Amino acid sequence: MSKFIVYKGYEEDAPPPKIPKPDVAPDPKIVTVQEGIPILFPPCEGPAVRVLHPTNPNAPSQNFSITQLYMPPHTVLPTGSHEPEECYVILQGEGEMTFAHYTREVKAGDFIYLPPWCVHGLENTGTEMLIVLVCTSPTNP
């Protein structure tokens, strides 16, 4: 059984933040998928919604984005790579991810961290909609 690691919080002697702390604390932006911007990622045939992104006035993040990707059965997101880091969170369904050196089954509950330039592709090999939360930092165009 794993032991819990006690979170220590932010160190007092840490370097200064890259983003200066404002004089007045900002309020959060709470949005739903319906308040996102519908997009397509050609050549992937599955639609997506940019929920958190500089182009979404409802949640204009500057440093990372969250997109919800919907892939019907048999849909493929071809392999590729890019500079931003990503994390794919499989919310529903199952599929197969292809990487530079191997292929792996993925399913609801999996978190897949993709470092910069990691070759990755995704295929819905299941019988239901594959829904993936794609978290990217810094944001894609």
Side-chain angles (χ1 to χ4, degrees):
M1 178 178 212
S2 297
K3 288 188 171 188
F4 284 96
I5 297 173
V6 177
Y7 176 68
K8 294 181 182 180
Y10 297 104
E11 306 276 332
E12 288 184 21
D13 57 348
K18 294 179 182 177
I19 300 171
K21 186 174 181 179
D23 293 333
V24 177
D27 287 325
K29 304 286 186 186
I30 301 171
V31 296
T32 64
V33 169
Q34 291 78 9
E35 295 169 302
I37 298 173
I39 62 168
L40 296 173
F41 285 121
C44 181
E45 296 164 354
V49 178
R50 281 192 162 152
V51 180
L52 184 71
H53 193 269
T55 59
N56 184 357
N58 296 309
S61 171
Q62 298 303 307
N63 300 301
F64 77 106
S65 68
I66 296 178
T67 299
Q68 194 154 307
L69 175 62
Y70 300 88
M71 296 179 65
H74 310 293
T75 305
V76 174
L77 180 62
T79 55
S81 68
H82 45 72
E83 185 177 4
E85 292 180 271
E86 284 187 322
C87 179
Y88 282 25
V89 182
I90 310 298
L91 299 177
Q92 175 184 305
E94 57 188 43
E96 188 173 88
M97 285 200 77
T98 300
F99 304 104
H101 305 291
Y102 66 97
T103 300
R104 183 185 189 280
E105 302 260 330
V106 293
K107 64 185 181 327
D110 287 348
F111 289 70
I112 302 99
Y113 168 67
L114 303 164
W117 301 113
C118 177
V119 173
H120 59 285
L122 179 61
E123 178 179 0
N124 182 345
T125 57
T127 58
E128 66 177 318
M129 182 73 72
L130 177 61
I131 302 177
V132 183
L133 203 60
V134 180
C135 309
T136 308
S137 179
T139 64
N140 285 328

